[in-house]
Amino acid sequence: MTGVLVTGGTGKTGSALVKLLRDNDVPVRVASRNPAPGAVRFDWTDPATHSAALRGVDRVYLVPPLVNVDPMPLVEPFLAEAERLGVRRVVLLGSALVLPDTPGPLELAARVRAQPGWVELRPSGFMQNFLSPHPIGTRIRRDGEIRTSAGDGRLGWIDARDIAAAACALLTDQGHDASEYLLTGPKALSYPDAAAIISAASGRPVRVVQISVEEQAAGYEEATGMPADFAIALAAIENGIREGREEQVSTAVLDLTGRPPRTFAEFAEEHAAEWSPGY
Ligand SMILES: NC(=O)c1ccc[n+]([C@@H]2O[C@H](COP(=O)([O-])OP(=O)(O)OC[C@H]3O[C@@H](n4cnc5c(N)ncnc54)[C@H](OP(=O)(O)O)[C@@H]3O)[C@@H](O)[C@H]2O)c1
């Protein structure tokens, strides 16, 4: 088939992308470790699933292995097979937030960008982090609290559905030819700004508690069971946020999709009920 293999097809950006592609009558193959009928079994840690998932598609949305500081050993054989099979477009879900002292994800991004027609998306922090089951969202609902070491540093929070919309434009060949796109929402906001917007929308007071990077890393590890090396790198991103290094905002969602990205206030209104303790 010519069509799109959507890895991470059951996840936040992937599931929204599947819907958008289907709305555009694009043949889609959803990849999952536990595939629903019509989907394909795909597991980064099981290379035997890679070739069958790729065979016959000409485009791929690539959500790399999660919480992994060194994705290349798992992803490179997949990319080599994609090249061999003539996949003309790979859209990688990368990140604007670079994990400190962690070259693996950057190597993967460089590998994708080097291939003509293949693209890296670099989204800022997801607004969906403020919803359960993300640890930030879970703590807001449970304790009315956000714990961060980022101070008043700001971030261009983006709705995962706008990332999917940007990916859809790139996977349906609407004439865009850059090798990377920084994707953000319309405005950079700090955690205290986000807490105030959530409080206003939900009626639930949300306070912000400043903690150290080390406490944040320990909390991530405890809440999710993610590997310690990844938790430390993830928490250390907050140093960059605090120092103002993640404040950038781009027009790429509008440029790619013709629509402005959703605002944090719109997101908070839509999900207001999800922050009540009984939800
Ligand atoms: N959250 C943020 O603020 C942020 C910011 C920038 C970039 N990102 C990037 O966004 C990416 C997605 O993160 P997310 O938390 O939003 O996850 P997600 O896409 O909501 O969910 C993870 C997806 O990965 C799939 N998956 C999990 N383990 C897999 C495996 N071993 N093999 C194949 N597929 C597997 C799951 O599919 P099944 O369970 O169906 O197999 C699911 O569809 C990450 O790479 C992250 O770095 C996140």
Side-chain angles (χ1 to χ4, degrees), residues 69 87 91 145 160 223 251 257 261 269:
V69 292
V87 169
V91 174
E145 182 175 289
T251 60
T257 71
E269 286 294 333

Side-chain angles (χ1 to χ4, degrees), residues 3 7 30 39 43 60 99 130-131 184 189 191 199 214-215 218 249-250:
T7 66
V30 178
D43 189 335
V60 173
L99 299 173
F130 293 87
L131 301 176
T184 73
L189 297 168
Y191 279 100
S199 296
E214 292 73 22
E215 286 172 301
V249 165
S250 82

Side-chain angles (χ1 to χ4, degrees), residues 8 10-12 32-33 42-44 66 93-95 123-126 129:
T10 59
K12 284 187 275 298
S32 171
R33 287 165 299 172
F42 178 80
D43 189 335
W44 284 115
L66 301 180
L93 180 61
S95 179
S124 185
F126 294 4
N129 294 357

Side-chain angles (χ1 to χ4, degrees), residues 100 149-155 213 236-248:
S149 62
D152 292 325
R154 296 188 299 168
L155 202 62
V213 168
I237 286 177
E238 296 202 334
N239 288 326
I241 301 174
R242 192 176 56 247
E243 289 157 12
R245 280 186 272 130
E246 306 293 352
E247 251 197 60
Q248 70 269 40

